[in-house]
Amino acid sequence: MNETQAQALVGILVYLIPEMILGVFACLVFLGGTVRADRNLWGSAALAGFVAALAALQFGPGSGPIAGADLATVPVLFDSLANFGRGLAWLAGIIFVLFSWNEVPDRQAAEWHACLLVLIAGVGLVAAANDLVTLFLALEMISIPTYVMLYLPRHDDAAQEAALKYFLLSVFSSALVLFGFSYLYGMTGTTNLTQILQSLNAPETQARDIPMAAAIALVTIVAGLGFRVTAAPFHFYAPDVYQGAPTVAAALLAWTPKAAGFFALVRVLGFVVPAGVQPRDMIGTALSEQVPILFWLLAVITMTWGNLLALLQDNLKRLLAYSSVAHAGYMLITLATAPYLRQSPGGADGVEALLYYLVAYGVMTVGAFAVLAYLSTPERPVETTDDLAGLSRSHPGLALMFAIFLFSLIGIPLTAGFTGKFLVFFGAMTVGPEQTYLYWVLALIGVVNAAMKSGKRAICAG
């Protein structure tokens, strides 16, 4: 190893200090759990780990190039997207620690919090990944702890079924993603995302048709990651798993895989292009010129299917599962519009709208699950819409909070959900000029879907 390579390695390790902190705390909590079972102790340790990681991120080197490192060789990037994803993940980790404080038994608390530390570190690494191997390992850092966490708080038949279903279908989705990655490696001869995008976006490549292998890679990668973001038709595990899983595990499942899936799509498909890489005519189309149409169709199918089936649900977790599907559809609109919006300087930005929507969706859906967890007791579980009858009289403060979360999920004005939907639909309406009609129709379908789910959520809020 020469001096330049050693300098680059040290630079990467310095940037990865927050992840290393989380890893150290996870090991300590795993080991400590073999000696003492105490939810307060291990919850406090997990909180300390996330706070330390946030402090390291805040006071660390920040974003920018690594000294002595070439983007075409480093496995991770530390640009604005990476730091946004990492900071958001650490904050979500703190919220989930507090959420699960009294939801996980003392005997399983150490394993739960240690798995949570590893899982959240994986979300941050997905946002920063610059290599297919790094990205796949980061996705597995999310999946493997999730299998355990679905089973830890409860050991009944429903929890076992939920964990097994998620495990089997997650393994299948990982195989699809890995299959698509193998095609990218076969076409370009590298696993580095910067080199892959440079190769696919090169002027000589743009002069001829994109290889069919790239289209195969696109379909398999989107299908595999579609499982994580609960995009139809890859969503079918969600209602059963959400219903059978403990409430805190269902809340975790509603946000963390979805955030990681969208971060991965943005990275792999080139919606955020590394420094020094010139995109094709439009960002995100390195693998196919039909990327916007693919996400247009996925968005329409996902949000419509999710909202239609939500109308038929009385179980609250199944209702929130189909809500997760519908919101994935709204977020897919941003990827359908992003290639065109980036061509209009000063206009809306699909990727920025996606990131805002991820934050807003996380707050409102985790908040709704938290209210359900607080209201549920072993003697009187809150599972159906009928169980919420009279909530405004027995718990007026919680009823108001739950209503605010549901109104935000609907998109009522003055809520974060409304702002997110406005950014998404406004972006679709500003695409043009050749695609104006197509994306106006997409925005109209989105508005109809948002109105469709209002009735069911209003019943719950009432």
Side-chain angles (χ1 to χ4, degrees), residues 166-230:
Y166 188 79
F167 168 74
L168 293 174
L169 294 172
S170 179
V171 169
F172 177 69
S173 74
S174 296
L176 284 176
V177 171
L178 200 57
F179 184 75
F181 285 178
S182 70
Y183 269 71
L184 289 182
Y185 175 73
M187 285 188 300
T188 60
T190 180
T191 60
N192 183 274
L193 282 172
T194 299
Q195 290 190 40
I196 289 171
L197 292 174
Q198 282 177 336
S199 175
L200 295 175
N201 291 329
E204 58 271 19
T205 304
Q206 296 190 34
R208 61 179 188 271
D209 292 336
I210 298 174
M212 179 58 68
I216 297 173
L218 171 68
V219 171
T220 54
I221 290 171
V222 170
L225 295 177
F227 169 89
R228 298 177 186 274
V229 305
T230 60

Side-chain angles (χ1 to χ4, degrees), residues 13-53:
L13 293 177
V14 169
Y15 274 98
L16 286 176
I17 285 176
E19 283 79 7
M20 289 189 285
I21 290 173
L22 294 181
V24 169
F25 271 87
C27 292
L28 291 175
V29 175
F30 270 127
L31 290 173
T34 63
V35 178
R36 182 176 177 182
D38 187 338
R39 76 178 74 183
N40 295 321
L41 174 61
W42 305 124
S44 300
L47 274 180
F50 286 121
V51 171

Side-chain angles (χ1 to χ4, degrees), residues 325-346:
V325 175
H327 283 282
Y330 300 135
M331 285 184 257
L332 287 169
I333 293 176
T334 64
L335 298 185
T337 59
Y340 298 109
L341 295 179
R342 189 61 64 88
Q343 291 181 315
S344 305

Side-chain angles (χ1 to χ4, degrees), residues 218-360:
L218 171 68
V219 171
T220 54
I221 290 171
V222 170
L225 295 177
F227 169 89
R228 298 177 186 274
V229 305
T230 60
F234 316 108
H235 71 286
F236 47 83
Y237 73 94
D240 291 339
V241 174
Y242 281 41
Q243 183 178 1
T247 304
V248 62
L252 186 77
L253 201 61
W255 188 80
T256 49
K258 191 182 300 291
F262 277 112
F263 285 141
L265 285 171
V266 167
R267 283 293 189 198
V268 174
L269 301 186
F271 285 99
V272 173
V273 183
V277 177
Q278 293 299 319
R280 294 177 69 89
D281 296 334
M282 300 183 295
I283 62 164
T285 59
L287 295 183
S288 174
E289 300 290 351
Q290 303 303 315
V291 164
I293 296 301
L294 172 63
F295 284 115
W296 193 101
L297 292 171
L298 277 177
V300 170
I301 295 169
T302 300
M303 61 185 172
T304 304
W305 191 249
N307 284 317
L308 282 174
L309 292 185
L311 294 174
L312 306 176
Q313 307 305 314
D314 288 321
N315 183 279
L316 292 169
K317 287 184 183 177
R318 294 183 72 87
L319 176 61
L320 288 172
Y322 283 112
S323 169
S324 175
V325 175
H327 283 282
Y330 300 135
M331 285 184 257
L332 287 169
I333 293 176
T334 64
L335 298 185
T337 59
Y340 298 109
L341 295 179
R342 189 61 64 88
Q343 291 181 315
S344 305
D349 188 299
V351 175
E352 290 179 359
L354 169 63
L355 298 179
Y356 177 87
Y357 206 111
L358 270 176
V359 176

